[in-house]
Amino acid sequence: MSVHLGTSRWLPGPVAAGARLRLLCLPHAGAGASAYRRWGAGLPAWIGAVPVQPPGRETRLGERPYRDCRALVRDLAGEVAPTLSRPYAVFGHSLGALLAYELVRELIGRGCPPPARLFVSGRKAPQLAETLPRLAGASLDELAGLLSLLGGTPPELLGDRKVLALMAPVLRADFAVNESHHYAPHAPLEVPITAFAATADARASVADVAAWGARTGAEFRLHTLHGGHFAVLEQATRVHALIAEELAPWS
């Protein structure tokens, strides 16, 4: 039996009825809810993965993707807030990590209950300056080069200009979301944060990810995975065990 989260296009569900805690999962640039459907199925039954579906991809392909971080977080928070009737945590990878952090800030600012824990991976802490070139207007060759560097995209897709051209609009929009984010000093969250860093991540070094510790006044844990940018998705069994361990009080 499943419980649907309603008619929200952002949170298409379903989530297992027996789940005592929901884990909102925010995808990396260019990705959608499908990035977490199979991955989330491996979590213990008491944790229900809730993949987020931003516009411009998959079931929302015909919608205009966001290009502004603040607008995206504001609208997503409006969809998430009514669903917080039970304990929840938030997970984000790469761009999703930044959005997860800002979503938690927005929800708390609206008076919503805080999450049990925030999980981030594959992105440097938001107070660190961005060093990647600006990619919101990247050419197909530049996009292919970045995707090749990060891994996770089959080479045959990167070599297919038609496929790459179909992927380009949402990738450019997501990079614009990232580039529109401007960090201003603010108080750390009183929410525990767990960060996953990969030893060969071209997007964020272990030190970059460890800097997330400054963004919480509560507990901080750092887990290091061997591998590249998508290690947190590729090593699901280990990551699920760590998530379950840190959310055990809600099991």
Side-chain angles (χ1 to χ4, degrees), residues 177-231:
V177 166
N178 183 63
E179 292 161 13
S180 71
H181 180 268
H182 301 287
Y183 177 80
H186 53 265
L189 291 173
E190 291 303 321
V191 172
I193 294 179
T194 292
F196 295 95
T199 54
D201 189 345
R203 177 72 177 86
S205 70
V206 173
D208 288 340
V209 178
W212 279 95
R215 301 276 35 91
T216 178
E219 180 186 48
F220 176 72
R221 292 184 182 179
L222 174 68
H223 299 293
T224 303
L225 306 173
H226 290 285
H229 186 63
F230 292 101

Side-chain angles (χ1 to χ4, degrees), residues 10 18 74 103 139 147 187:
W10 289 89
R74 180 194 63 226
L103 174 64
S139 67
L147 294 176

Side-chain angles (χ1 to χ4, degrees), residues 67-132:
R67 297 181 65 88
D68 180 76
C69 181
R70 175 69 188 132
L72 192 161
V73 168
R74 180 194 63 226
D75 292 351
L76 175 57
E79 297 289 332
V80 168
T83 74
L84 303 181
S85 59
R86 68 180 70 184
Y88 74 103
V90 184
F91 179 100
H93 175 62
S94 198
L95 173 62
L98 174 66
L99 296 176
Y101 174 72
E102 293 297 346
L103 174 64
V104 170
R105 292 185 65 219
E106 177 72 15
L107 290 170
I108 292 174
R110 294 184 181 208
C112 296
R117 186 171 285 266
L118 169 63
F119 297 91
V120 295
S121 74
R123 195 189 192 282
K124 62 176 60 180
Q127 73 271 17
L128 300 182
E130 181 62 85
T131 55
L132 279 178

Side-chain angles (χ1 to χ4, degrees), residues 149-176:
L149 177 67
L150 295 179
T153 304
E156 59 271 20
L157 293 186
L158 295 179
D160 188 323
R161 303 288 288 189
K162 290 183 179 179
V163 171
L164 195 57
L166 290 173
M167 296 167 58
V170 73
L171 281 168
R172 291 179 180 128
D174 284 354
F175 290 137

Side-chain angles (χ1 to χ4, degrees), residues 38-85:
R38 182 178 297 178
W39 182 89
L43 288 163
W46 55 272
I47 302 176
V50 182
V52 171
Q53 185 75 286
R57 65 214 76 199
E58 299 179 5
T59 57
R60 305 184 67 184
L61 187 61
E63 300 177 50
R64 185 186 300 274
Y66 284 78
R67 297 181 65 88
D68 180 76
C69 181
R70 175 69 188 132
L72 192 161
V73 168
R74 180 194 63 226
D75 292 351
L76 175 57
E79 297 289 332
V80 168
T83 74
L84 303 181
S85 59

